[in-house]
Amino acid sequence: MTGQVDRLLARSLMDLGAVLLRPSAPFTWASGWHSPIYCDNRRILSSPEVRSFVAQALADEAARLYPEAEGVAGVATGAIAHGVLAADRLGKPFVYVRPKPKDHGTGSQIEGVLEPGRKVVVIEDLISTGMSSLAAVDALRKAGADVLGMVAIFTYGFDVAREAFEKAGVRLTTLSCYSVLAEEARDRGYIDQEGFKTLQAWRESPSTWNK
């Protein structure tokens, strides 16, 4: 995203403690990847000021890119709240997409009312490989939605995600990204130059880093 939103958001995430940087004591992701960074966008919801800022930024970006949108869809669970807030500002209907259909009741995967053919913009909180986000898009398309694109809060910017979104024909826009966050962390003294180099090295090959 252009302008100052990407850097303002990166600073806000650090101020909230939503971003943990541990180059010398890496985290282990569910995928098995070792990572010097952990980003928890759920902390945004506990800050009224940042929560409002993010909701408005998501709504503004969705309105700018997709003025023809007739509804908003959030990806469960991280983007449900953010999607609702953005939809409210846009005055649009909202639905959310579960990772898989419920194993009880109606067996629904999409919660809410989604009319066939409705033009929707998808809201997501964080993009890593993009697989779960694109699974939600696939579910929406199978339900008859016309998915215009996706607006997310943050992306790590992995090539595997970029390639997956291109293959799926989904336009992805994010409010901030990993490269901006790393630069802000360095410039604010959150990490030193050596730590910054570590973050850059990880970004180049996250699946093999620190093996």
Side-chain angles (χ1 to χ4, degrees), residues 26-115:
F27 300 93
T28 300
W29 286 5
S31 63
W33 289 5
H34 293 166
S35 169
I37 182 173
Y38 182 80
C39 189
D40 183 4
N41 287 338
R42 289 165 293 192
R43 282 180 170 261
I44 293 172
L45 299 174
S46 298
S47 168
E49 182 179 358
V50 180
R51 183 179 67 216
S52 180
F53 167 71
V54 169
Q56 192 61 56
L58 289 170
D60 289 346
E61 198 70 352
R64 182 180 70 84
L65 294 172
Y66 312 107
E68 71 274 34
E70 300 168 323
V72 175
V75 181
T77 58
I80 294 177
H82 297 296
V84 167
L85 292 169
D88 189 59
R89 283 163 168 74
L90 293 167
K92 305 292 184 183
F94 176 78
V95 299
Y96 72 85
V97 188
R98 294 174 176 273
K100 59 182 180 180
K102 291 189 295 187
D103 59 4
H104 60 281
T106 61
S108 300
Q109 184 171 6
I110 298 173
E111 300 289 4
V113 179
L114 178 65
E115 298 175 357

Side-chain angles (χ1 to χ4, degrees), residues 6-208:
D6 54 357
R7 296 194 177 278
L8 286 172
L9 178 55
R11 295 168 196 163
S12 295
L13 291 173
M14 285 187 284
D15 290 341
L16 287 174
V19 177
L20 297 177
L21 298 171
R22 293 196 331 212
S24 60
F27 300 93
T28 300
W29 286 5
S31 63
W33 289 5
H34 293 166
S35 169
I37 182 173
Y38 182 80
C39 189
D40 183 4
N41 287 338
R42 289 165 293 192
R43 282 180 170 261
I44 293 172
L45 299 174
S46 298
S47 168
E49 182 179 358
V50 180
R51 183 179 67 216
S52 180
F53 167 71
V54 169
Q56 192 61 56
L58 289 170
D60 289 346
E61 198 70 352
R64 182 180 70 84
L65 294 172
Y66 312 107
E68 71 274 34
E70 300 168 323
V72 175
V75 181
T77 58
I80 294 177
H82 297 296
V84 167
L85 292 169
D88 189 59
R89 283 163 168 74
L90 293 167
K92 305 292 184 183
F94 176 78
V95 299
Y96 72 85
V97 188
R98 294 174 176 273
K100 59 182 180 180
K102 291 189 295 187
D103 59 4
H104 60 281
T106 61
S108 300
Q109 184 171 6
I110 298 173
E111 300 289 4
V113 179
L114 178 65
E115 298 175 357
R118 177 177 288 172
K119 294 178 171 60
V120 301
V121 55
V122 182
I123 300 296
E124 178 64 290
D125 69 331
L126 185 145
I127 306 294
S128 53
T129 64
M131 295 301 101
S132 59
S133 304
L134 290 173
V137 170
D138 186 56
L140 287 164
R141 286 173 168 170
K142 287 179 178 178
D146 180 1
V147 177
L148 302 175
M150 181 179 295
V151 181
I153 297 173
F154 183 85
T155 179
Y156 286 104
F158 297 141
D159 289 339
V160 64
R162 176 182 54 77
E163 293 167 0
F165 273 87
E166 289 178 356
K167 183 177 180 180
V170 179
R171 181 180 182 181
L172 173 65
T173 306
T174 64
L175 301 184
S176 193
C177 63
Y178 180 78
S179 60
V180 169
L181 179 66
E183 290 171 3
E184 285 294 321
R186 177 198 59 194
D187 294 347
R188 299 182 76 192
Y190 204 68
I191 55 173
D192 57 21
Q193 186 61 28
E194 199 59 37
F196 179 70
K197 291 179 180 179
T198 298
L199 293 182
Q200 288 182 307
W202 174 76
R203 169 62 186 79
E204 292 173 3
S205 183
S207 62
T208 60

